[in-house]
Amino acid sequence: MAALDLTGKRVLLTQASDFMGPVLTEVFTELGAEVIGDDGPLDDPGRPAQLVAASGTVDILLAHLGVPAARSAAIDASDDEWAHAFAHMVDPLPRLVRAVLPQMVARGAGKVLLIGSASALRGMKRASTYSAARGAQLAYIQAVGVELAASKVQVNAIAQNFVENPTYFPPEVQANPAFQERLAREVPLGRLVGAREDAMFAAYLCSTHADCFVGQVFPVCGGWVPR
Amino acid sequence: MAALDLTGKRVLLTQASDFMGPVLTEVFTELGAEVIGDDGPLDDPGRPAQLVAASGTVDILLAHLGVPAARSAAIDASDDEWAHAFAHMVDPLPRLVRAVLPQMVARGAGKVLLIGSASALRGMKRASTYSAARGAQLAYIQAVGVELAASKVQVNAIAQNFVENPTYFPPEVQANPAFQERLAREVPLGRLVGAREDAMFAAYLCSTHADCFVGQVFPVCGGWVPR
Amino acid sequence: MAALDLTGKRVLLTQASDFMGPVLTEVFTELGAEVIGDDGPLDDPGRPAQLVAASGTVDILLAHLGVPAARSAAIDASDDEWAHAFAHMVDPLPRLVRAVLPQMVARGAGKVLLIGSASALRGMKRASTYSAARGAQLAYIQAVGVELAASKVQVNAIAQNFVENPTYFPPEVQANPAFQERLAREVPLGRLVGAREDAMFAAYLCSTHADCFVGQVFPVCGGWVPR
Amino acid sequence: MAALDLTGKRVLLTQASDFMGPVLTEVFTELGAEVIGDDGPLDDPGRPAQLVAASGTVDILLAHLGVPAARSAAIDASDDEWAHAFAHMVDPLPRLVRAVLPQMVARGAGKVLLIGSASALRGMKRASTYSAARGAQLAYIQAVGVELAASKVQVNAIAQNFVENPTYFPPEVQANPAFQERLAREVPLGRLVGAREDAMFAAYLCSTHADCFVGQVFPVCGGWVPR
């Protein structure tokens, strides 16, 4: 038997075509999981529950909720920017979690993994709205993780930054010498974290080997934050 | 001259009658500040800007935004609970900050101090909504603090827990032996942090001595989190 | 090919018969690694270099250096207790790392994983000496990890606590109702982390999937610290 | 009465002529304290106890133990470099603390403040020995702080970096454009923390206002770490 095996696991993945969605699908599928990828709008309050209901058994919820960071100066960030970020990244999270918990608690088994952001762990300029939304996500996961531990449901988060993905780091950005210089200067790893490295770590955290982690936030950001 | 002196400083304090409001008013006033205490509703999108406009010069903004924690299990937390927490604790924060920044940036001086919560730093059971809202606050402050440093405006946060206040810890709670036992067990300090200890630290962080702190989160929770 | 495979990797493990040594040997061997387990004294200044020299190629160094915590009150901790802890847990670490780095840097590949302790991340009573030694280890790893990243050598640490092992938690301790109550109260997970869970995570961090982590500290302590 | 007043407090300060020693003496004296500055060698095992015995009543111990960082690459750091750093920065700390605790515990009052380093909180290149020693200090303080809280003795630490001092940042370094560029790039504050800002914060943490902090580490590093 392979040491890292998700055979038979049913995985619900939101925003399956965006950001880390494709690589998460690829890696989890390779490891034997059945990935139910969704691309529908999650800012509709009723949709998360419908989505979970339509998905049948969900062993693993990959809460993958992201919108591109606005890059406004704090002084210019608009109410609309804020509302958009929270409607897509924050409000759907408890709706998804609440919808999926009853079946997980009933089985005494299940995992929720948030694909979150390290921007909530260390301040970045021109990222106030985005960081705030990401901070809500991480603090929510820490609290729910501690609470659900006794039900044998493990709720954790990855806090990523500087991870290869087509939205933030398309080939032309990566080829830019100024970008490469910034990486060398700011990211101890000296390169972007590979998309598959990130997805494989997510898979590990969703495997039974990781039943010991609860309410924990794992930075995946090339050493940009040390823990 | 006293070492800790806020003479002549104009301080805008929100929710002035709630939570830490009264003790913040008392301590800042003793130290010479002029406290403009507000008690109006901040969930109205337009009000933060009106409030700031009506306050004239604001040297210090005490972003004091709290509602009692709901104590629901994560599985039971409602959309209404979430919306209420975010409408009062989260959404007003960038509105207040955006409204107050232009005058501070123009003067090349000013402080924003969030009276936040350590519940965003360490998971607690039955506090998922509250922790999420508090996490949004802290991550926002970290980002804005880093961004505004160059403008000589210092934006920081206190992350408190187990601080004496009439809302969370009324005399009858404090007298309860079960509560005292919990304090002894969970809080290294072995007692609640005094309300004046918390307010005095806030005053320190708003003094010119603290011009060196930017985007930083200071736990005030009797050692419940070590940093 | 299995997703988590250490076939052909040569692993140097210190204190191979103590603490996590046996389970690390078992799990790494299952995954295909060749484990060179050492049980010799490491407080002899010259021995780490000899050990590395005698080990030939070392792809992975498991820096596993622990002595039982003394449990003295801070006021009673003796110079001997301190010297013993540092001689066994701290001083050998840079000697091992310096000895193993040249071959790793020359190959442009290699991993050092410290099996460290979360006692350095959160204060515990009657553990001052032990925590100090563990703090030296973690800070060393963070610094070396950042420095060696450019050489494609990954240096990281696990910071564990409440992990099943025969030294700290023999069967009679685990069966003690007072201990079970303490676990329920202090450790969100509600149980000890399994020895194999810990070792498997160590294996993951030593696999090529984890080439993206540098200078990072990973708590493995059942949620006792959130990150 | 001034809000920040140390009148009548007897303060024992080690390495009084080095690093932060002169400014700590200046600021604490201005605030009314009687500073007993010592410059003797602390690597002699018996000296810390003698020093404390000769100092009479010590209300506040400023554990100020530093030697210039060696700046060696990890691969080149020698045993001598390590031994020197630990003999001066680490080993004297528990000896000082053990010597001063009995009188503080007997009075049910007292403060120990370590002037530590943020290099233990975030990895830096060419600082492995120094960071390790600083990590031992901080973890020791966290543990002792939690343990001594019940005795009404408060033990805490500042973790500083990028603080103005003649040893690390003499005028010629500060005037160097490359250094100024590095500050702008790496330190959110955009300048060195002033020596008096650091010393004043230390004074605050040693005042009775700060009786609520135990086992806590306070970064003072211009936002280089966010908490």
Side-chain angles (χ1 to χ4, degrees):
Chain A
M1 198 204 70
L4 184 42
D5 185 2
L6 298 175
T7 299
K9 296 294 180 190
R10 290 175 55 86
V11 178
L12 176 56
L13 168 66
T14 56
Q15 289 187 213
S17 306
D18 283 348
F19 293 105
M20 309 308 299
V23 71
L24 287 165
T25 301
E26 178 183 299
V27 167
F28 276 67
T29 303
E30 283 175 20
L31 295 171
E34 182 181 346
V35 177
I36 305 153
D38 178 71
D39 274 314
L42 289 163
D43 56 333
D44 173 327
R47 235 204 128 243
Q50 291 160 12
L51 171 61
V52 170
S55 301
T57 297
V58 176
D59 297 300
I60 296 165
L61 168 63
L62 289 176
H64 173 247
L65 300 163
V67 293
R71 313 301 301 146
S72 321
I75 212 164
D76 299 325
S78 67
D79 271 5
D80 282 354
E81 172 187 320
W82 191 268
H84 181 74
F86 278 71
H88 287 269
M89 294 201 281
V90 178
D91 298 344
L93 180 58
R95 291 176 186 138
L96 287 164
V97 169
R98 283 196 315 257
V100 86
L101 279 183
Q103 56 166 290
M104 290 182 173
V105 170
R107 287 193 303 268
K111 297 213 189 273
V112 175
L113 183 69
L114 173 80
I115 309 299
S117 166
S119 64
L121 304 182
R122 180 173 160 191
M124 295 175 73
K125 292 179 192 176
R126 293 183 162 268
S128 58
T129 303
Y130 186 79
S131 300
R134 292 305 201 172
Q137 289 183 337
L138 290 188
Y140 177 77
I141 291 296
Q142 287 181 354
V144 176
V146 163
E147 184 178 324
L148 269 291
S151 304
K152 315 289 182 217
V153 176
Q154 292 86 37
V155 180
N156 294 288
I158 280 176
Q160 68 181 58
N161 198 1
F162 300 110
V163 174
E164 192 187 12
N165 74 68
T167 309
Y168 284 135
F169 308 110
E172 64 274 18
V173 166
Q174 294 194 41
N176 186 330
F179 176 75
Q180 291 168 6
E181 221 177 283
R182 183 182 162 216
L183 271 186
R185 207 170 52 225
E186 290 188 25
V187 185
L189 184 63
R191 61 166 172 92
L192 291 178
V193 174
R196 283 185 62 94
E197 289 173 315
D198 189 40
M200 192 62 83
F201 190 58
Y204 186 86
L205 294 177
C206 291
S207 76
T208 54
H209 299 311
D211 287 354
C212 59
F213 297 115
V214 293
Q216 194 161 331
V217 172
F218 295 85
V220 178
C221 52
W224 185 68
V225 299
R227 68 173 172 99
Chain B
M1 197 204 73
L4 183 43
D5 186 2
L6 300 175
T7 299
K9 296 294 178 191
R10 291 175 54 85
V11 179
L12 176 56
L13 168 66
T14 56
Q15 290 188 212
S17 306
D18 283 349
F19 292 105
M20 308 309 300
V23 72
L24 287 166
T25 303
E26 178 184 298
V27 166
F28 277 66
T29 304
E30 284 174 21
L31 294 171
E34 181 181 347
V35 177
I36 306 152
D38 178 72
D39 274 313
L42 289 163
D43 55 334
D44 173 328
R47 238 206 124 242
Q50 292 161 13
L51 171 61
V52 169
S55 300
T57 297
V58 176
D59 298 299
I60 297 165
L61 168 63
L62 289 175
H64 173 248
L65 300 163
V67 293
R71 314 301 301 144
S72 321
I75 211 164
D76 298 325
S78 66
D79 270 6
D80 283 355
E81 173 187 320
W82 190 269
H84 180 75
F86 278 72
H88 288 269
M89 295 200 282
V90 177
D91 298 345
L93 179 58
R95 292 178 184 137
L96 287 164
V97 169
R98 283 196 315 258
V100 86
L101 279 183
Q103 58 166 288
M104 290 181 174
V105 169
R107 287 193 303 267
K111 297 212 188 271
V112 176
L113 183 70
L114 172 80
I115 309 298
S117 166
S119 64
L121 304 181
R122 179 174 160 191
M124 295 175 74
K125 293 180 192 175
R126 295 184 160 267
S128 58
T129 303
Y130 186 80
S131 300
R134 293 306 201 173
Q137 290 183 337
L138 291 188
Y140 177 78
I141 291 296
Q142 287 180 354
V144 177
V146 163
E147 183 177 325
L148 269 291
S151 304
K152 314 288 183 219
V153 176
Q154 292 87 36
V155 180
N156 294 289
I158 279 176
Q160 67 180 59
N161 198 2
F162 300 110
V163 174
E164 194 184 13
N165 73 69
T167 309
Y168 284 136
F169 307 110
E172 63 274 20
V173 165
Q174 293 195 40
N176 187 330
F179 176 75
Q180 291 169 6
E181 222 176 282
R182 185 184 160 213
L183 272 186
R185 208 169 51 225
E186 290 188 22
V187 184
L189 185 62
R191 62 166 172 91
L192 291 177
V193 173
R196 283 185 62 94
E197 288 174 315
D198 189 41
M200 192 63 81
F201 190 58
Y204 186 86
L205 293 177
C206 291
S207 76
T208 55
H209 300 311
D211 287 355
C212 58
F213 297 115
V214 293
Q216 193 160 330
V217 172
F218 295 85
V220 178
C221 53
W224 185 68
V225 299
R227 66 173 172 101
Chain C
M1 197 204 74
L4 184 43
D5 185 1
L6 299 175
T7 299
K9 296 294 179 190
R10 291 175 55 85
V11 179
L12 176 56
L13 168 65
T14 56
Q15 290 189 212
S17 306
D18 283 348
F19 292 104
M20 309 309 299
V23 72
L24 287 165
T25 302
E26 179 184 298
V27 166
F28 277 66
T29 303
E30 283 174 21
L31 294 171
E34 181 181 346
V35 178
I36 306 153
D38 177 73
D39 275 314
L42 289 163
D43 55 334
D44 173 328
R47 238 206 123 240
Q50 292 161 12
L51 171 60
V52 170
S55 300
T57 297
V58 176
D59 297 298
I60 296 165
L61 167 63
L62 290 175
H64 173 247
L65 300 163
V67 293
R71 313 303 298 144
S72 320
I75 211 165
D76 298 326
S78 66
D79 271 5
D80 283 352
E81 173 187 321
W82 191 268
H84 181 74
F86 278 71
H88 287 271
M89 294 200 282
V90 178
D91 298 344
L93 180 57
R95 292 177 186 138
L96 287 165
V97 169
R98 283 196 316 257
V100 88
L101 279 184
Q103 57 165 290
M104 291 182 173
V105 170
R107 287 192 303 266
K111 298 214 187 270
V112 175
L113 183 70
L114 172 80
I115 310 298
S117 166
S119 63
L121 304 181
R122 179 174 160 190
M124 295 176 73
K125 293 180 192 174
R126 294 185 160 266
S128 58
T129 304
Y130 186 80
S131 300
R134 293 304 201 174
Q137 289 183 336
L138 291 187
Y140 176 78
I141 291 296
Q142 287 181 353
V144 177
V146 163
E147 183 177 324
L148 269 291
S151 303
K152 314 291 183 217
V153 176
Q154 293 86 37
V155 180
N156 294 288
I158 280 177
Q160 67 180 60
N161 198 2
F162 299 111
V163 174
E164 192 185 14
N165 74 68
T167 309
Y168 283 135
F169 308 110
E172 64 273 21
V173 165
Q174 294 195 40
N176 186 331
F179 176 74
Q180 291 169 6
E181 222 176 281
R182 185 184 160 213
L183 272 186
R185 205 170 53 225
E186 291 188 24
V187 185
L189 184 62
R191 61 167 173 91
L192 291 177
V193 173
R196 282 185 62 94
E197 288 173 315
D198 189 41
M200 192 63 82
F201 190 58
Y204 186 87
L205 293 177
C206 290
S207 76
T208 54
H209 300 311
D211 287 355
C212 58
F213 297 115
V214 293
Q216 193 161 331
V217 172
F218 295 85
V220 178
C221 53
W224 185 67
V225 299
R227 70 174 170 99
Chain D
M1 199 206 70
L4 183 42
D5 185 3
L6 298 175
T7 299
K9 296 293 178 191
R10 290 175 55 86
V11 179
L12 176 56
L13 168 66
T14 55
Q15 289 189 214
S17 306
D18 283 347
F19 292 103
M20 309 309 298
V23 72
L24 287 165
T25 301
E26 179 184 297
V27 167
F28 276 67
T29 303
E30 283 174 22
L31 295 171
E34 181 181 347
V35 177
I36 307 153
D38 178 71
D39 274 314
L42 288 163
D43 56 334
D44 173 327
R47 237 206 125 238
Q50 291 161 13
L51 171 61
V52 170
S55 300
T57 297
V58 176
D59 297 299
I60 296 166
L61 167 63
L62 289 175
H64 172 249
L65 300 164
V67 293
R71 313 302 301 145
S72 321
I75 212 165
D76 298 325
S78 66
D79 271 5
D80 282 354
E81 172 188 320
W82 190 268
H84 181 74
F86 278 72
H88 287 270
M89 295 201 282
V90 178
D91 298 344
L93 179 58
R95 291 176 185 138
L96 287 164
V97 170
R98 282 197 315 258
V100 86
L101 279 184
Q103 58 166 289
M104 290 182 174
V105 170
R107 286 192 304 266
K111 297 214 189 272
V112 176
L113 183 70
L114 172 80
I115 309 299
S117 165
S119 65
L121 304 181
R122 180 173 161 191
M124 295 175 73
K125 291 179 193 175
R126 294 184 162 265
S128 58
T129 303
Y130 187 79
S131 300
R134 292 306 201 173
Q137 288 183 337
L138 290 188
Y140 177 77
I141 291 296
Q142 287 182 354
V144 176
V146 163
E147 184 177 325
L148 269 291
S151 303
K152 315 289 182 216
V153 175
Q154 292 87 37
V155 180
N156 294 288
I158 279 177
Q160 67 181 59
N161 199 1
F162 299 111
V163 174
E164 190 186 16
N165 73 70
T167 309
Y168 284 134
F169 308 110
E172 64 274 19
V173 166
Q174 294 195 40
N176 186 330
F179 176 75
Q180 291 169 6
E181 221 176 282
R182 184 182 161 215
L183 272 186
R185 205 170 54 225
E186 291 188 24
V187 184
L189 184 62
R191 61 166 172 92
L192 291 177
V193 173
R196 282 185 62 94
E197 288 174 314
D198 189 41
M200 192 62 83
F201 190 59
Y204 186 87
L205 292 177
C206 290
S207 76
T208 55
H209 299 312
D211 287 354
C212 58
F213 297 115
V214 293
Q216 194 161 331
V217 172
F218 295 85
V220 178
C221 53
W224 184 69
V225 299
R227 70 173 170 97

